[in-house]
Amino acid sequence: MRGDEADLPIVSIVMPCYNEEEALPETVRQMTALLERLVREKKVSEQSKMLLVDDGSRDKTWSLIDSFHRSNRFVSGLKLSRNVGHQRALLAGLLTAKEYADCIISIDADLQDDITVIDQFIEKYKQGYEVVYGVRNKRTTDTMFKKFSAQFFYKLMIKLGVNVVYNHADYRMMSKKVVNKLEEYQEVNLFLRGIIPTIGFKSDSVYYDRLERTAGESKYPLKKMLIFAWEGITSFSVSPIRAVSVVGFFMSVMSLLFAFYVFVRHLQGNTVSGWSSLILSIWFIGGIQLLCIGLIGEYIGKIYIETKKRPKYFVETELHNVVVTEAKTQQLQETR
């Protein structure tokens, strides 16, 4: 068992924020109430925090974070130099939080993921679990299209051999040890839902119902959802590129069969030249070729991006008021 009363865990709740001006006040209010209760009930250290990561927002998100930081002892802030995307912003928060926290919980700032199960996260951490996944039990608040597309995405990923947790997004708890291992992954094309299960260590899941968004609108429209899904598939599975070989083989067989058919018709004296069938065949084969070339190009493009090894993000401003005791500092250094 970890974290007895004499050594309560320092918990950091990391929340990437992009144009969350409308939702942020309610989010901070609910998270503050949660942390105050956890501290009062002696489940976490009083030095536990929420870390709000501003991913290059264009509204007043950062000014709100700065204001909350000045008036709320639980609020820390991280401002990135520009918008780098949800996954990189989340990674920035995780790597920052691990410097002072024993365990890190990641959650979206819209609070559609039920924060009441954070108690279960912490309890499982004390029981020795290094990773705890928040799994959506019901998606009654999602539209029919979003529910279908999300479930299809998870099933497709699993079918392609990607090790993802079904109906799990980025709501999870990780110990400092796991985040240290996550930092060793140097890939630029980030898909944390696929990376974290590959790290290993003792893990478990907690289940919750998806809630309504507190305010504002979703930052993941259909276009971004499709890009994110494609990023995940091409980052963790070579099945699509293998399918190119299958399509090529299939088309070769079809061509041989069609050539045999034409030869037989020619022997029977029934061949009739046709412009339409010729053009359709050319277009069909040409379309398949372009599709295959594009798919191969997608993987080559990823290789190109990875080889440049550009930094994933830059931190512009960091707001912290964490004061760690000497004993806790020594303990954190020993676990690194």
Side-chain angles (χ1 to χ4, degrees):
M1 294 287 290
R2 295 161 161 163
D4 54 24
E5 188 169 339
D7 186 26
L8 298 175
I10 297 178
V11 176
S12 178
I13 302 175
V14 176
M15 292 181 283
C17 305
Y18 178 67
N19 293 341
E20 294 290 357
E21 176 185 354
E22 296 180 29
L24 210 50
E26 179 61 19
T27 297
V28 171
R29 186 193 69 79
Q30 290 191 33
M31 279 298 181
T32 299
L34 174 71
L35 288 170
E36 286 177 341
R37 179 180 61 78
L38 292 173
V39 170
R40 186 171 60 252
E41 295 175 357
K42 296 189 180 301
K43 292 184 177 180
V44 302
S45 167
E46 61 182 8
Q47 297 180 47
S48 298
K49 303 289 176 184
M50 68 181 92
L51 176 59
L52 305 175
V53 183
D54 179 21
D55 183 23
S57 298
R58 293 171 296 183
D59 59 5
K60 297 180 181 178
T61 295
W62 178 248
S63 61
L64 284 174
I65 294 174
D66 184 53
S67 175
F68 288 131
H69 169 72
R70 296 173 187 274
S71 60
N72 188 327
R73 68 187 181 92
F74 289 113
V75 176
S76 295
L78 195 69
K79 180 177 174 59
L80 303 184
S81 61
R82 66 178 184 87
N83 177 250
V84 295
H86 179 273
Q87 297 290 279
R88 294 186 182 188
L90 177 55
L91 180 66
L94 295 173
L95 298 186
T96 300
K98 78 178 182 67
E99 295 301 321
Y100 63 85
D102 298 310
C103 65
I104 301 98
I105 297 171
S106 60
I107 185 173
D108 289 341
D110 57 16
L111 293 191
Q112 284 190 275
D113 298 318
D114 188 2
I115 66 173
T116 61
V117 299
I118 287 179
D119 290 71
Q120 297 180 48
F121 282 152
I122 295 168
E123 189 60 35
K124 288 186 178 295
Y125 170 77
K126 292 179 179 179
Q127 293 172 7
Y129 290 97
E130 304 290 350
V131 183
V132 182
Y133 301 101
V135 179
R136 295 163 180 171
N137 195 29
K138 296 179 181 178
R139 306 181 71 113
T140 54
T141 59
D142 290 345
T143 63
M144 186 63 68
F145 172 77
K146 186 171 184 179
K147 184 188 301 184
F148 170 79
S149 60
Q151 291 177 344
F152 175 77
F153 165 71
Y154 286 111
K155 290 177 181 177
L156 178 62
M157 292 287 284
I158 294 171
K159 197 74 173 177
L160 292 175
V162 183
N163 185 20
V164 295
V165 179
Y166 185 74
N167 260 343
H168 162 71
D170 287 300
Y171 188 24
R172 68 179 73 88
M173 186 283 297
M174 291 183 289
S175 68
K176 178 183 177 69
K177 180 194 297 185
V178 173
V179 180
N180 278 329
K181 298 303 180 183
L182 176 62
E183 189 175 14
E184 296 181 20
Y185 283 72
Q186 298 299 312
E187 55 203 78
V188 177
N189 299 288
L190 283 177
F191 184 66
L192 295 177
R193 299 179 200 183
I195 292 176
I196 292 170
T198 68
I199 298 175
F201 295 105
K202 188 178 181 181
S203 63
D204 200 0
S205 300
V206 298
Y207 297 86
Y208 65 95
D209 294 340
R210 183 94 160 141
L211 306 175
E212 293 282 358
R213 186 180 174 90
T214 56
E217 58 183 16
S218 173
K219 304 305 183 296
Y220 262 84
L222 178 60
K223 180 181 177 181
K224 282 192 174 182
M225 287 175 61
L226 292 174
I227 292 174
F228 182 68
W230 182 246
E231 183 74 23
I233 291 170
T234 54
S235 293
F236 277 86
S237 177
V238 295
S239 295
I241 204 166
R242 286 174 180 168
V244 171
S245 300
V246 175
V247 171
F249 176 77
F250 176 75
M251 294 306 301
S252 298
V253 172
M254 290 295 293
S255 298
L256 291 173
L257 292 176
F258 186 71
F260 179 74
Y261 170 76
V262 171
F263 178 71
V264 171
R265 297 284 290 181
H266 176 71
L267 292 178
Q268 295 174 347
N270 295 324
T271 53
V272 178
S273 58
W275 179 83
S276 299
S277 59
L278 178 63
I279 292 300
L280 286 174
S281 299
I282 292 174
W283 283 2
F284 179 69
I285 298 298
I288 293 294
Q289 288 177 330
L290 290 174
L291 176 64
C292 295
I293 292 171
L295 184 58
I296 295 171
E298 179 73 21
Y299 281 91
I300 294 174
K302 284 184 176 294
I303 296 171
Y304 170 67
I305 293 172
E306 291 288 348
T307 56
K308 291 190 289 187
K309 297 187 181 299
R310 290 179 177 174
K312 299 178 184 69
Y313 58 85
F314 290 110
V315 175
E316 181 178 323
T317 309
E318 190 171 348
L319 303 174
H320 278 299
N321 51 9
V322 178
V323 180
V324 182
T325 63
E326 183 178 347
K328 178 60 71 174
T329 301
Q330 182 179 356
Q331 177 190 351
L332 290 175
Q333 290 174 346
E334 289 174 354
T335 58
R336 288 177 184 172

